[in-house]
Amino acid sequence: MKGFFKYLMVTIKGICMGAADVIPGVSGGTIAFMTGIYEDLVGSINAINMTAVRLLFTGKFRQFWKHINGNFLFSLIAGILLSILSLAKLMQYLLNHQPIQTWAFFFGLIVASSIFILRGIKGWKAKDFVMLVLGIVLGVVVCTLSPTETPDGLWFILICGAVAICAMILPGISGSFILLILGKYEYMMGTIADIVSGAGNLMDFVTVIVFIVGAAAGIIAFSKFLHWLLQHYHRETLLVMAGFIIGSLVKVWPWSNMETVILSQFPELAETDAALGEAVIAQYSGMVDMHIGGAAAWALAGFFLVVGIEVASILISRRREQLS
């Protein structure tokens, strides 16, 4: 019974991680750190190695499960999936019906996340500013030069899963934010929401399975490289990441996609044309409510949510140091 409650708590922590991973700008890795399971998470991921593969394929399932800390991983993943499946429908609704407020909230989250990453850099030097600017330029280029619509092919979904999962395990970096940059955040939330509501088709299930396979492959293939990168080039990596996040804010600007804003306030237009032409967008742009006050309020809410999470993380870390 003691073991049951132990892993039930892990599942609850996984639910918190999943909720964070659904929101761009909030890191599931930060939640894992705050709840005291980050070291177990990283250790369990690193245990998925050739030794684990040999145990699995030689039929030593019990030893394999113990080697990868299977009970912990299963409980955590169950919580994460439960949370994502529960929140996907809500996120799809907000993005379709309240796009300005939703993107403003994301904007505030991401601004705060970048500030806290930079806050950890002490003793700035000239090369640090160069790395930061490099990251900003890279973020702007990726967001402005990449196509608005990225491929929906399964090969690209596989890549998205592999890249996003690596960000999800890093404190301060959001996997959903990576999906946002890759142009697949709304697509994946919509696909999951359709499955949950019972409106999904076979292709939706295949898409989610391929994404999960990509995530599994990515976390095995890249986690050790990311760990090595942060160990040997920690400062440079953080600076480029922070710069990339700042530059990528052009993609999260609440009014960057006027077509979505117009359709949210004039849904009847979607019945006549799936994609609005430039003339229609120009005609209706002056008629929509920009919700500037609401956008500012939600941006501040997102900003202070991250501030609260980060302050709690710092206090918990200090408390642990005092106890040890």
Short mmCIF file of all heavy atoms in Angstrom, two decimals, residues 270-311:
data_model
loop_
_atom_site.label_atom_id
_atom_site.label_comp_id
_atom_site.label_asym_id
_atom_site.label_seq_id
_atom_site.Cartn_x
_atom_site.Cartn_y
_atom_site.Cartn_z
N ALA A 270 -15.88 31.48 -42.12
CA ALA A 270 -15.28 30.15 -42.29
C ALA A 270 -16.19 29.24 -43.10
O ALA A 270 -15.73 28.28 -43.73
CB ALA A 270 -14.99 29.52 -40.93
N GLU A 271 -17.49 29.53 -43.10
CA GLU A 271 -18.44 28.71 -43.83
C GLU A 271 -18.37 28.96 -45.34
O GLU A 271 -18.73 28.09 -46.13
CB GLU A 271 -19.86 28.98 -43.34
CG GLU A 271 -20.06 28.66 -41.85
CD GLU A 271 -21.43 29.07 -41.35
OE1 GLU A 271 -22.22 29.55 -42.19
OE2 GLU A 271 -21.69 28.91 -40.14
N THR A 272 -17.87 30.14 -45.71
CA THR A 272 -17.80 30.47 -47.13
C THR A 272 -16.43 30.19 -47.73
O THR A 272 -16.32 29.89 -48.91
CB THR A 272 -18.13 31.96 -47.34
OG1 THR A 272 -17.20 32.75 -46.59
CG2 THR A 272 -19.54 32.26 -46.86
N ASP A 273 -15.40 30.28 -46.90
CA ASP A 273 -14.04 30.07 -47.42
C ASP A 273 -13.16 29.56 -46.30
O ASP A 273 -13.08 30.18 -45.24
CB ASP A 273 -13.48 31.39 -47.97
CG ASP A 273 -12.23 31.16 -48.84
OD1 ASP A 273 -11.77 30.01 -48.89
OD2 ASP A 273 -11.76 32.13 -49.44
N ALA A 274 -12.49 28.43 -46.54
CA ALA A 274 -11.64 27.84 -45.50
C ALA A 274 -10.44 28.73 -45.20
O ALA A 274 -9.98 28.82 -44.06
CB ALA A 274 -11.16 26.45 -45.95
N ALA A 275 -9.90 29.41 -46.22
CA ALA A 275 -8.76 30.30 -46.04
C ALA A 275 -9.14 31.69 -46.56
O ALA A 275 -9.53 31.84 -47.72
CB ALA A 275 -7.54 29.77 -46.78
N LEU A 276 -9.04 32.69 -45.72
CA LEU A 276 -9.43 34.04 -46.11
C LEU A 276 -8.37 34.65 -47.02
O LEU A 276 -7.18 34.55 -46.77
CB LEU A 276 -9.61 34.92 -44.87
CG LEU A 276 -10.62 34.43 -43.82
CD1 LEU A 276 -10.72 35.45 -42.70
CD2 LEU A 276 -11.98 34.17 -44.44
N GLY A 277 -8.81 35.34 -48.06
CA GLY A 277 -7.89 36.00 -48.96
C GLY A 277 -7.40 37.32 -48.37
O GLY A 277 -7.94 37.82 -47.38
N GLU A 278 -6.39 37.90 -48.98
CA GLU A 278 -5.80 39.14 -48.48
C GLU A 278 -6.82 40.28 -48.49
O GLU A 278 -6.84 41.11 -47.57
CB GLU A 278 -4.58 39.52 -49.33
CG GLU A 278 -3.39 38.57 -49.14
CD GLU A 278 -2.18 39.05 -49.93
OE1 GLU A 278 -2.22 40.17 -50.46
OE2 GLU A 278 -1.19 38.29 -50.00
N ALA A 279 -7.68 40.30 -49.49
CA ALA A 279 -8.68 41.37 -49.59
C ALA A 279 -9.68 41.28 -48.43
O ALA A 279 -10.07 42.30 -47.84
CB ALA A 279 -9.41 41.28 -50.92
N VAL A 280 -10.11 40.05 -48.10
CA VAL A 280 -11.06 39.86 -47.01
C VAL A 280 -10.42 40.24 -45.68
O VAL A 280 -11.03 40.90 -44.83
CB VAL A 280 -11.55 38.40 -46.97
CG1 VAL A 280 -12.47 38.17 -45.76
CG2 VAL A 280 -12.28 38.05 -48.25
N ILE A 281 -9.15 39.83 -45.49
CA ILE A 281 -8.43 40.15 -44.25
C ILE A 281 -8.29 41.66 -44.11
O ILE A 281 -8.51 42.22 -43.02
CB ILE A 281 -7.05 39.47 -44.24
CG1 ILE A 281 -7.22 37.95 -44.15
CG2 ILE A 281 -6.20 39.98 -43.08
CD1 ILE A 281 -5.92 37.17 -44.26
N ALA A 282 -7.94 42.34 -45.21
CA ALA A 282 -7.79 43.80 -45.17
C ALA A 282 -9.13 44.47 -44.86
O ALA A 282 -9.20 45.46 -44.12
CB ALA A 282 -7.25 44.29 -46.50
N GLN A 283 -10.22 43.93 -45.42
CA GLN A 283 -11.55 44.51 -45.21
C GLN A 283 -12.00 44.40 -43.76
O GLN A 283 -12.55 45.34 -43.20
CB GLN A 283 -12.56 43.80 -46.12
CG GLN A 283 -14.00 44.28 -45.93
CD GLN A 283 -14.99 43.46 -46.74
OE1 GLN A 283 -14.59 42.65 -47.57
NE2 GLN A 283 -16.28 43.68 -46.49
N TYR A 284 -11.75 43.23 -43.14
CA TYR A 284 -12.26 42.98 -41.79
C TYR A 284 -11.29 43.39 -40.69
O TYR A 284 -11.68 43.45 -39.53
CB TYR A 284 -12.60 41.49 -41.63
CG TYR A 284 -13.94 41.13 -42.22
CD1 TYR A 284 -14.06 40.82 -43.57
CD2 TYR A 284 -15.09 41.11 -41.44
CE1 TYR A 284 -15.29 40.49 -44.13
CE2 TYR A 284 -16.32 40.77 -41.98
CZ TYR A 284 -16.42 40.46 -43.33
OH TYR A 284 -17.63 40.14 -43.87
N SER A 285 -10.03 43.68 -41.04
CA SER A 285 -9.04 44.02 -40.01
C SER A 285 -9.44 45.25 -39.22
O SER A 285 -9.19 45.35 -38.01
CB SER A 285 -7.66 44.23 -40.65
OG SER A 285 -7.15 43.01 -41.15
N GLY A 286 -10.06 46.21 -39.89
CA GLY A 286 -10.48 47.42 -39.19
C GLY A 286 -11.78 47.27 -38.42
O GLY A 286 -12.18 48.19 -37.70
N MET A 287 -12.43 46.11 -38.56
CA MET A 287 -13.72 45.89 -37.92
C MET A 287 -13.63 45.04 -36.66
O MET A 287 -14.58 44.98 -35.88
CB MET A 287 -14.68 45.22 -38.92
CG MET A 287 -14.92 46.04 -40.18
SD MET A 287 -15.73 45.08 -41.49
CE MET A 287 -17.27 44.62 -40.69
N VAL A 288 -12.50 44.37 -36.46
CA VAL A 288 -12.39 43.46 -35.33
C VAL A 288 -12.03 44.22 -34.06
O VAL A 288 -11.42 45.30 -34.10
CB VAL A 288 -11.32 42.37 -35.59
CG1 VAL A 288 -11.71 41.48 -36.74
CG2 VAL A 288 -9.95 42.99 -35.82
N ASP A 289 -12.42 43.65 -32.94
CA ASP A 289 -12.05 44.18 -31.63
C ASP A 289 -10.66 43.64 -31.28
O ASP A 289 -10.47 42.43 -31.18
CB ASP A 289 -13.07 43.73 -30.59
CG ASP A 289 -12.82 44.35 -29.21
OD1 ASP A 289 -11.74 44.95 -29.01
OD2 ASP A 289 -13.69 44.23 -28.34
N MET A 290 -9.69 44.52 -31.10
CA MET A 290 -8.32 44.10 -30.85
C MET A 290 -8.09 43.63 -29.41
O MET A 290 -7.04 43.06 -29.10
CB MET A 290 -7.34 45.24 -31.17
CG MET A 290 -7.28 45.56 -32.66
SD MET A 290 -6.73 44.16 -33.66
CE MET A 290 -6.62 44.90 -35.28
N HIS A 291 -9.04 43.88 -28.52
CA HIS A 291 -8.95 43.42 -27.12
C HIS A 291 -7.60 43.79 -26.49
O HIS A 291 -6.96 42.96 -25.84
CB HIS A 291 -9.15 41.91 -27.04
CG HIS A 291 -10.52 41.47 -27.45
ND1 HIS A 291 -11.64 41.72 -26.68
CD2 HIS A 291 -10.94 40.78 -28.54
CE1 HIS A 291 -12.72 41.20 -27.29
NE2 HIS A 291 -12.32 40.63 -28.42
N ILE A 292 -7.16 45.03 -26.70
CA ILE A 292 -5.84 45.44 -26.21
C ILE A 292 -5.76 45.35 -24.68
O ILE A 292 -4.78 44.85 -24.12
CB ILE A 292 -5.51 46.87 -26.70
CG1 ILE A 292 -5.38 46.86 -28.23
CG2 ILE A 292 -4.21 47.36 -26.05
CD1 ILE A 292 -5.18 48.22 -28.84
N GLY A 293 -6.80 45.84 -24.00
CA GLY A 293 -6.80 45.78 -22.53
C GLY A 293 -6.78 44.34 -22.03
O GLY A 293 -6.01 44.00 -21.11
N GLY A 294 -7.60 43.49 -22.63
CA GLY A 294 -7.62 42.08 -22.23
C GLY A 294 -6.31 41.38 -22.52
O GLY A 294 -5.83 40.56 -21.72
N ALA A 295 -5.71 41.72 -23.67
CA ALA A 295 -4.42 41.12 -24.03
C ALA A 295 -3.35 41.51 -23.02
O ALA A 295 -2.54 40.66 -22.59
CB ALA A 295 -4.01 41.56 -25.44
N ALA A 296 -3.34 42.78 -22.61
CA ALA A 296 -2.35 43.24 -21.63
C ALA A 296 -2.54 42.51 -20.29
O ALA A 296 -1.57 42.09 -19.66
CB ALA A 296 -2.46 44.75 -21.44
N ALA A 297 -3.80 42.37 -19.89
CA ALA A 297 -4.09 41.69 -18.62
C ALA A 297 -3.65 40.23 -18.65
O ALA A 297 -3.04 39.73 -17.69
CB ALA A 297 -5.58 41.79 -18.31
N TRP A 298 -3.94 39.55 -19.75
CA TRP A 298 -3.57 38.13 -19.85
C TRP A 298 -2.06 37.95 -20.00
O TRP A 298 -1.49 36.97 -19.52
CB TRP A 298 -4.32 37.47 -21.00
CG TRP A 298 -5.72 37.11 -20.63
CD1 TRP A 298 -6.87 37.73 -21.01
CD2 TRP A 298 -6.12 36.05 -19.75
NE1 TRP A 298 -7.96 37.13 -20.43
CE2 TRP A 298 -7.53 36.09 -19.65
CE3 TRP A 298 -5.42 35.07 -19.03
CZ2 TRP A 298 -8.26 35.19 -18.87
CZ3 TRP A 298 -6.15 34.18 -18.26
CH2 TRP A 298 -7.53 34.23 -18.18
N ALA A 299 -1.41 38.89 -20.67
CA ALA A 299 0.06 38.83 -20.77
C ALA A 299 0.70 38.96 -19.39
O ALA A 299 1.64 38.24 -19.05
CB ALA A 299 0.57 39.93 -21.70
N LEU A 300 0.17 39.87 -18.58
CA LEU A 300 0.66 40.04 -17.21
C LEU A 300 0.37 38.79 -16.37
O LEU A 300 1.21 38.38 -15.55
CB LEU A 300 0.03 41.27 -16.57
CG LEU A 300 0.53 42.63 -17.08
CD1 LEU A 300 -0.32 43.76 -16.49
CD2 LEU A 300 2.00 42.83 -16.72
N ALA A 301 -0.79 38.19 -16.59
CA ALA A 301 -1.14 36.97 -15.86
C ALA A 301 -0.14 35.85 -16.19
O ALA A 301 0.33 35.14 -15.30
CB ALA A 301 -2.56 36.53 -16.20
N GLY A 302 0.18 35.72 -17.47
CA GLY A 302 1.16 34.72 -17.88
C GLY A 302 2.54 35.00 -17.31
O GLY A 302 3.23 34.10 -16.83
N PHE A 303 2.91 36.27 -17.33
CA PHE A 303 4.21 36.69 -16.80
C PHE A 303 4.34 36.33 -15.31
O PHE A 303 5.32 35.70 -14.89
CB PHE A 303 4.39 38.20 -17.00
CG PHE A 303 5.72 38.72 -16.57
CD1 PHE A 303 6.78 38.78 -17.46
CD2 PHE A 303 5.93 39.16 -15.26
CE1 PHE A 303 8.02 39.27 -17.07
CE2 PHE A 303 7.16 39.64 -14.86
CZ PHE A 303 8.21 39.69 -15.76
N PHE A 304 3.33 36.69 -14.54
CA PHE A 304 3.41 36.48 -13.10
C PHE A 304 3.20 35.00 -12.72
O PHE A 304 3.61 34.59 -11.64
CB PHE A 304 2.43 37.39 -12.37
CG PHE A 304 2.89 38.81 -12.31
CD1 PHE A 304 2.22 39.80 -13.03
CD2 PHE A 304 4.00 39.17 -11.56
CE1 PHE A 304 2.66 41.12 -12.99
CE2 PHE A 304 4.44 40.49 -11.52
CZ PHE A 304 3.77 41.46 -12.23
N LEU A 305 2.57 34.24 -13.59
CA LEU A 305 2.48 32.79 -13.35
C LEU A 305 3.87 32.17 -13.35
O LEU A 305 4.22 31.40 -12.45
CB LEU A 305 1.60 32.13 -14.41
CG LEU A 305 1.53 30.60 -14.34
CD1 LEU A 305 0.94 30.13 -13.02
CD2 LEU A 305 0.72 30.04 -15.51
N VAL A 306 4.67 32.53 -14.35
CA VAL A 306 6.03 32.01 -14.42
C VAL A 306 6.87 32.54 -13.27
O VAL A 306 7.66 31.80 -12.67
CB VAL A 306 6.69 32.38 -15.78
CG1 VAL A 306 8.17 31.99 -15.79
CG2 VAL A 306 5.97 31.68 -16.92
N VAL A 307 6.68 33.82 -12.93
CA VAL A 307 7.40 34.38 -11.78
C VAL A 307 7.09 33.60 -10.52
O VAL A 307 7.98 33.24 -9.74
CB VAL A 307 7.03 35.88 -11.59
CG1 VAL A 307 7.60 36.40 -10.26
CG2 VAL A 307 7.57 36.71 -12.75
N GLY A 308 5.82 33.29 -10.31
CA GLY A 308 5.42 32.53 -9.13
C GLY A 308 6.04 31.14 -9.11
O GLY A 308 6.53 30.68 -8.06
N ILE A 309 6.03 30.48 -10.27
CA ILE A 309 6.61 29.14 -10.35
C ILE A 309 8.11 29.18 -10.08
O ILE A 309 8.65 28.35 -9.34
CB ILE A 309 6.33 28.51 -11.74
CG1 ILE A 309 4.83 28.20 -11.89
CG2 ILE A 309 7.15 27.24 -11.94
CD1 ILE A 309 4.43 27.74 -13.27
N GLU A 310 8.80 30.15 -10.68
CA GLU A 310 10.25 30.25 -10.52
C GLU A 310 10.63 30.62 -9.08
O GLU A 310 11.59 30.09 -8.53
CB GLU A 310 10.82 31.28 -11.50
CG GLU A 310 10.71 30.87 -12.96
CD GLU A 310 11.59 29.69 -13.31
OE1 GLU A 310 12.53 29.37 -12.52
OE2 GLU A 310 11.35 29.07 -14.35
N VAL A 311 9.88 31.54 -8.47
CA VAL A 311 10.16 31.91 -7.08
C VAL A 311 9.95 30.72 -6.16
O VAL A 311 10.76 30.44 -5.26
CB VAL A 311 9.26 33.09 -6.65
CG1 VAL A 311 9.34 33.31 -5.14
CG2 VAL A 311 9.67 34.36 -7.38
#
